[in-house]
Amino acid sequence: MTLANRIKHGAALLADHPALIGWYVRNKLRAATVAFERDHLEGVSRFTRGITFRLTSACNLRCKMCRFVESGEVLSDMKQTLPVETWKSIVDDAARYRPYFTLTGGEPLICPWIGDLITHISKQDMRCTLTTNGTMLAKRAPDFMDNPPDLVVVSVDGPPDVHNQIRGQPKVFERAVEGIKAVQRLRIERNTKAPLLAVNCSITHWSYERVEEMVDVARELGVDALNFQYQWSITQRMVDEHNEKFGKLHPLCAEDLGASDPPPVDLDKMAEIVGRIRRRAGEIVEPIVTFHPELDDAEVRDWYADPHIWVQRRPAACAWMNTEIGPNGDVEPCYGVVCGSVKEEPFSKIWNSFPYRKFRRRLSAIEDFPICVRCCAFFRRD
């Protein structure tokens, strides 16, 4: 497939999802201002670009690479979350910033009211992404497809046998496929292009030798996009180095974070597989194939050779652009840093509160923490 054809296909995809154009442009413009804010505004951020709602820590799966499984947090009671009216009130309060919302967990579709929340966000014409393991998608999709999110990301880590083994249950792959097909069917019934459907494939010790097969899987499923995600990690060494330098102000507990060393991979084989996927991505029209983060061959090797090797190191921007709100209402821009609770005051007051500004000033002075080296938030510039 020529570059011109890929550009043409990308343009057609955006034409089907025009809201994503504005989303992309706003993200880029916002990212361009962060350096000035970090250097000159003494911990103040003009506005948040993205808010992640971690609706629950509970999950119906026990995935091998999940830190919530390592920490035991995955065993949380699924009822231990904020009432849906509280989540909706956060949306209303943050609407002045026009952020995008990412709904995640645990497994967010465990929450029976999630359709109500997605509808509330969509009706305010704000962007929304749902990230799910897909096992409950067929059941929940009818609840939100009248006012769908902009993007549904379904995690699939390989062909059926690989995915089911990693996720710890039989038929998980088949249930995820059922969910994807349910959304596709409802799009046709409701005559809508939304949501854009993406499959996210995490490249880990357990999957890397078979992830190339995901190109064919994604094509057969007819999804819009396939993203390969290099493995995120937090290790005991990262926590120890962090506490040695910053433990008095920002202490962390490796057990609470589910810290563990990722199992090794064959670096030559990994580089070869990633290279083949890239070549195949250039030959096909659909789906669009991406990698996150975007790494060259040497960086891929460094990423998997040792999780403590810095790749694409630059000053952190996460605390100025994005934040997470946990199921207990804590506003947490970084592991172990709680800057307030939405149960006690509005999010808009927390965003530039003294604790938040103090944290940004500290991060601005040191540029990054040892725990940033394989943290997804560090690599986000959206």
Side-chain angles (χ1 to χ4, degrees):
M1 182 185 182
T2 66
L3 176 60
N5 283 338
R6 288 188 62 78
I7 293 173
K8 184 178 180 180
H9 172 59
L13 187 64
L14 289 174
D16 287 341
H17 303 273
L20 298 181
I21 300 174
W23 183 3
Y24 176 82
V25 172
R26 281 176 59 85
N27 290 347
K28 291 300 182 183
L29 291 175
R30 181 69 186 94
T33 68
V34 168
F36 175 83
E37 294 179 15
R38 187 176 53 232
D39 295 341
H40 300 288
L41 296 190
E42 295 296 321
V44 170
S45 170
R46 293 186 303 116
F47 63 92
T48 178
R49 188 67 202 102
I51 302 176
T52 295
F53 284 176
R54 184 159 61 87
L55 299 177
T56 177
S57 296
C59 186
N60 57 340
L61 302 182
R62 301 292 182 267
C63 306
K64 291 183 180 295
M65 65 290 192
C66 179
R67 72 178 187 88
F68 294 136
V69 173
E70 288 286 340
S71 69
E73 196 172 352
V74 74
L75 300 175
S76 300
D77 186 342
M78 62 182 177
K79 295 180 181 179
Q80 292 180 351
T81 185
L82 302 173
V84 65
E85 294 304 323
T86 302
W87 292 111
K88 289 161 70 173
S89 72
I90 301 169
V91 173
D92 296 339
D93 177 56
R96 71 189 72 180
Y97 303 121
R98 308 303 296 171
Y100 66 86
F101 294 91
T102 300
L103 309 183
T104 185
E107 172 48 50
L109 293 183
I110 284 178
C111 302
W113 37 256
I114 192 167
D116 188 18
L117 177 59
I118 292 172
T119 295
H120 188 75
I121 296 170
S122 298
K123 282 187 173 180
Q124 298 198 49
D125 194 30
M126 287 189 283
R127 310 282 70 82
C128 178
T129 294
L130 169 67
T131 299
T132 173
N133 63 37
T135 57
M136 302 178 68
L137 188 55
K139 178 181 179 180
R140 296 287 187 224
D143 296 340
F144 58 71
M145 281 299 293
D146 286 335
N147 295 279
D150 297 277
L151 175 63
V152 170
V153 180
V154 182
S155 299
V156 182
D157 296 318
D161 58 324
V162 174
H163 182 70
N164 293 341
Q165 193 266 341
I166 291 172
R167 299 283 165 160
Q169 289 186 25
K171 303 298 183 182
V172 175
F173 179 93
E174 291 77 6
R175 290 163 64 191
V177 169
E178 181 186 4
I180 290 170
K181 291 187 179 299
V183 172
Q184 292 168 327
R185 183 173 62 253
L186 289 166
R187 287 197 305 194
I188 294 171
E189 291 177 2
R190 285 157 173 74
N191 192 30
T192 178
K193 300 289 187 180
L196 188 148
L197 268 169
V199 163
N200 186 71
C201 178
S202 183
I203 306 178
T204 68
H205 161 84
W206 299 279
S207 67
Y208 78 102
E209 294 185 89
R210 301 281 302 279
V211 292
E212 185 180 357
E213 296 175 45
M214 282 303 298
V215 177
D216 291 323
V217 170
R219 294 183 72 184
E220 291 171 7
L221 288 174
V223 296
D224 302 297
L226 168 63
N227 180 65
F228 289 98
Q229 177 182 292
Y230 299 114
Q231 183 175 4
W232 308 119
S233 306
I234 186 164
T235 69
Q236 179 72 56
R237 175 179 158 185
M238 291 177 199
V239 174
D240 290 343
E241 291 179 357
H242 175 92
N243 285 335
E244 182 179 349
K245 294 180 179 179
F246 311 109
K248 291 183 179 180
L249 296 172
H250 178 184
L252 295 175
C253 173
E255 185 177 358
D256 290 346
L257 292 173
S260 64
D261 289 291
V265 302
D266 183 316
L267 298 180
D268 291 333
K269 185 176 290 186
M270 172 68 76
E272 179 184 345
I273 290 168
V274 170
R276 287 204 304 264
I277 294 173
R278 287 195 183 117
R279 288 191 293 274
R280 287 202 63 191
E283 296 169 355
I284 63 176
V285 176
E286 296 178 327
I288 288 179
V289 179
T290 59
F291 288 83
H292 182 66
E294 286 286 350
L295 306 177
D296 62 29
D297 291 344
E299 290 168 337
V300 170
R301 286 177 175 276
D302 285 345
W303 189 278
Y304 288 96
D306 184 346
H308 310 98
I309 296 175
W310 281 96
V311 175
Q312 298 181 359
R313 192 172 191 174
R314 51 186 170 172
C318 44
W320 286 263
M321 294 183 66
N322 306 292
T323 198
E324 178 180 283
I325 302 177
N328 63 352
D330 285 349
V331 179
E332 192 172 8
C334 184
Y335 297 130
V337 176
V338 177
C339 292
S341 171
V342 294
K343 294 192 291 188
E344 298 173 2
E345 58 184 333
F347 172 80
S348 57
K349 291 187 177 296
I350 296 171
W351 181 246
N352 277 313
S353 63
F354 176 75
Y356 221 131
R357 287 183 284 117
K358 182 179 179 181
F359 173 70
R360 290 196 192 104
R361 287 197 298 269
R362 183 163 68 246
L363 187 55
S364 177
I366 63 175
E367 296 191 344
D368 56 51
F369 299 120
I371 55 173
C372 296
V373 63
R374 291 294 184 273
C375 174
C376 59
F378 179 83
F379 286 88
R380 288 179 65 180
R381 290 296 192 273
D382 55 11

